[in-house]
Amino acid sequence: MSKPVSSFKLHLRAVATGLKYLLFPNRITVYYPEEYVEPPEGYRGLIRYYPERCIQCGLCAMICPASAMKMYRTKTDRKGRPGVNYQRCIFCGFCVDICPQNALEMTKVHDVAYESLNELVVPPERFSQEPVSPAVAGGARRLKTVFDEERGLRHELA
Amino acid sequence: MSWGDALSWLLRLLLSPQVFAPLIFPGLLTALVVLLTVIWAERKIAARVQMRVGPLYVTRRLGGVLQMLADGTRYMFQEFIIPATADRLPFLFAPVLALTLAIVPFAFIPAAPGFSPIKSPYSLPAALAAISAVPLSVLLMGWSSNNKFAIQGAVREAFMGLAYEAVVFISALSMGVLYGTLDLEEAVSRQWLPGLLLNPVAAFAFFVGMVMSAGKLPFDIVEGEQEIVAGPYVEYSGIIFGIGMGLAYLKLYSLSLIYTLLFLSGWEPVVAPLYSLYPGLGGVLLFAKAYLLMLFIVFLRSVYGRYRLDQALRAGWRIYLPLSLISLLISILLRVVGVV
């Protein structure tokens, strides 16, 4: 503002850059419910539990820094099996790392919505079911991100 | 009088320039369509530049063009709340006054050669005067809302109004000096070259003043969504809020029509077949140019951030006012040399 004449050139450059993006758009978003970007390997999404591998040691509940993992005990099963409270979970993956039997696994599902807070508390029975992404269940096309030297990120059918 | 006579009388009335121009083209009805499509276009353009999609789901095949219609319908049926502390009568009266004042310029803007609703030798200052009266009603809105944000917005409007009005008027009058007339219709006929090339300084100053006047980015200081949440319109809800939102676009529309007439040689070249069909339709090119201009102005939204009030005022008084005065000198010089 203090140098109106020299800054005029910069204004022109800014407008030209805007026009460039207007004429040659470089969209980085996808039409989400119809298209679904597959997360990369090692993505920390919802946790899946395999009860047949579990030795009920309780290490996962012990390591959990957010106290989200808890052992659910019943009358017949005194040692308990893990369940998770997603209100607390910070998706750090400590429980998955510490499990000696690989009974816990992080899935790639992350786009899940719940209708009530109670549904966020997942007991062992539901914890052992495969989490489902609503977009994928609705028949979304799966896309994967590819790095492009020219354009930046690009989406391709997976 | 039979039905046929009544019908033909009604048709004649509707097709007379005094009714057709302000109500249908380029007036109220066209303005409404422009309003709906330009707001949509603004969002779409910003989305394209910002690597997004923009409004989509209402009429998906047309890219969500009816989004604004849906929003408008929602405004219609929304409850209209009058705050208990507001000054009731001015609170209701101000938006109506603002809308009326924003439509008045269409009475002076000619749509085609020989087709102006009010044929006046002073149509340029008259249209500008009507536009510059709108901030008064915005002030009234802010004051009667009895809300600190509204009053802040109103005061900003007053500051901005003083800063840009002088620029707009002087650069428009410099074109009046250049063409030797204040009649918009005659101004078009005097342009053997578009006014943009005859006096680029005036064109630039008027353009910036126009953006300031319409409160588009980078000068949407009055609304100040981030800190004073829509400013003078903060207490309004329902359709009156819609009016407040549309007000800026109406101002922008009438100002870009005036800009096209003054600087972009208006309706020239006239589309002869349309003109011979009905004179009012001869202004199709005028409309197209004005619409493109509006698209460019709303495109600026995706390029600029917002200026602070003091920055905008400094630009208005220290840069654009001298620029408009320089443009006046250029016009006088060109007039003396006898270019036009």
Side-chain angles (χ1 to χ4, degrees):
Chain A
M1 194 61 82
S2 53
K3 295 178 194 128
V5 180
S6 60
S7 69
F8 186 72
K9 205 173 65 189
L10 300 177
H11 282 273
L12 286 184
R13 204 162 75 192
V15 171
T17 308
L19 281 175
K20 190 186 91 186
Y21 277 99
L22 178 66
L23 297 178
F24 307 103
N26 189 6
R27 184 160 60 86
I28 55 171
T29 56
V30 296
Y31 294 105
Y32 163 62
E34 289 96 36
E35 293 173 346
Y36 175 76
V37 181
E38 190 97 315
E41 281 309 314
Y43 186 84
R44 295 198 208 141
L46 295 184
I47 305 162
R48 162 98 198 264
Y49 171 56
Y50 296 92
E52 66 282 358
R53 295 187 202 155
C54 184
I55 53 169
Q56 301 172 293
C57 61
L59 278 174
C60 47
M62 237 178 281
I63 197 73
C64 184
S67 305
M69 193 73 75
K70 197 176 119 183
M71 300 305 277
Y72 283 75
R73 294 198 295 182
T74 56
K75 283 257 167 59
T76 53
D77 191 359
R78 300 284 292 174
K79 284 166 86 179
R81 286 181 180 279
V84 69
N85 181 354
Y86 282 125
Q87 288 179 44
R88 293 186 159 190
C89 183
I90 56 170
F91 299 94
C92 61
F94 280 13
C95 48
V96 177
D97 289 347
I98 205 164
C99 185
Q101 291 287 317
N102 287 338
L104 291 172
E105 182 194 55
M106 290 216 125
T107 60
K108 289 180 180 178
V109 177
H110 63 105
D111 53 339
V112 181
Y114 296 95
E115 284 182 9
S116 69
L117 289 175
N118 284 339
E119 280 178 56
L120 285 158
V121 181
V122 182
E125 301 83 56
R126 260 203 302 137
F127 199 25
S128 55
Q129 287 161 12
E130 178 81 38
V132 186
S133 156
V136 174
R141 269 172 296 158
R142 284 163 182 271
L143 302 177
K144 64 171 191 249
T145 42
V146 187
F147 188 72
D148 190 327
E149 288 288 344
E150 294 282 307
R151 189 184 182 276
L153 286 180
R154 192 156 46 81
H155 293 109
E156 270 180 7
L157 277 176
Chain B
M1 201 160 71
S2 70
W3 279 108
D5 286 347
L7 219 67
S8 72
W9 177 78
L10 205 67
L11 202 67
R12 246 200 343 271
L13 181 74
L14 206 64
L15 289 183
S16 69
Q18 283 75 17
V19 177
F20 186 83
L23 279 190
I24 298 170
F25 177 81
L28 205 54
L29 261 175
T30 318
L32 196 69
V33 175
V34 164
L35 214 72
L36 293 175
T37 51
V38 158
I39 297 177
W40 167 77
E42 174 170 12
R43 293 177 60 182
K44 268 306 209 204
I45 289 171
R48 264 175 92 95
V49 176
Q50 293 163 358
M51 309 181 178
R52 300 181 283 122
V53 179
L56 179 70
Y57 280 96
V58 183
T59 57
R60 182 157 187 163
R61 284 202 187 146
L62 300 172
V65 71
L66 290 187
Q67 177 72 47
M68 285 304 120
L69 196 65
D71 285 0
T73 318
R74 186 181 69 77
Y75 284 142
M76 286 275 199
F77 297 103
Q78 206 174 27
E79 186 187 0
F80 182 54
I81 301 162
I82 302 174
T85 51
D87 205 343
R88 214 184 149 84
L89 186 68
F91 185 78
L92 290 173
F93 173 67
V96 179
L97 180 69
L99 191 66
T100 316
L101 285 174
I103 292 167
V104 165
F106 295 119
F108 297 100
I109 295 171
F115 195 82
S116 41
I118 297 176
K119 178 80 183 138
S120 152
Y122 305 111
S123 58
L124 171 61
L128 285 179
I131 293 170
S132 65
V134 175
L136 293 179
S137 57
V138 175
L139 274 180
L140 191 60
M141 274 190 215
W143 182 255
S144 61
S145 292
N146 199 5
N147 174 311
K148 57 184 172 189
F149 296 130
I151 288 175
Q152 273 200 15
V155 170
R156 287 181 180 197
E157 174 81 46
F159 271 120
M160 289 296 289
L162 287 178
Y164 63 71
E165 225 59 86
V167 176
V168 167
F169 265 85
I170 294 175
S171 46
L173 287 183
S174 76
M175 293 321 275
V177 169
L178 183 59
Y179 300 141
T181 173
L182 289 174
D183 187 354
L184 283 169
E185 199 183 327
E186 248 182 273
V188 175
S189 59
R190 297 277 168 88
Q191 289 176 56
W192 54 275
L193 205 66
L196 185 70
L197 301 175
L198 286 173
N199 193 343
V201 180
F204 181 63
F206 192 94
F207 178 79
V208 176
M210 182 164 91
V211 178
M212 277 192 184
S213 170
K216 297 279 106 204
L217 262 122
F219 300 108
D220 71 332
I221 293 155
V222 175
E223 283 198 13
E225 193 61 52
Q226 288 87 349
E227 74 272 12
I228 53 170
V229 282
Y233 317 110
V234 65
E235 289 287 5
Y236 287 94
S237 52
I239 188 65
I240 304 274
F241 176 74
I243 288 176
M245 232 178 80
L247 204 61
Y249 291 92
L250 268 181
K251 262 171 100 172
L252 180 63
Y253 177 47
S254 46
L255 276 168
S256 30
L257 281 176
I258 293 173
Y259 189 92
T260 312
L261 289 169
L262 281 181
F263 297 105
L264 302 175
S265 65
W267 47 72
E268 300 290 347
V270 175
V271 186
L274 278 176
Y275 186 76
S276 55
L277 186 71
Y278 178 66
L281 296 175
V284 135
L285 226 61
L286 166 73
F287 178 74
K289 285 175 189 173
Y291 198 84
L292 276 178
L293 186 66
M294 287 173 77
L295 287 185
F296 179 70
I297 288 172
V298 297
F299 154 75
L300 289 181
R301 178 200 188 92
S302 45
V303 175
Y304 283 104
R306 176 146 52 86
Y307 281 126
R308 279 197 321 264
L309 178 64
D310 63 315
Q311 288 172 331
L313 290 180
R314 193 167 57 195
W317 288 116
R318 290 208 187 147
I319 296 166
Y320 296 110
L321 186 68
L323 262 189
S324 58
L325 289 173
I326 290 170
S327 77
L328 191 61
L329 284 180
I330 293 174
S331 286
I332 292 170
L333 197 72
L334 287 177
R335 188 85 186 146
V336 170
V337 172
V339 175
V340 179

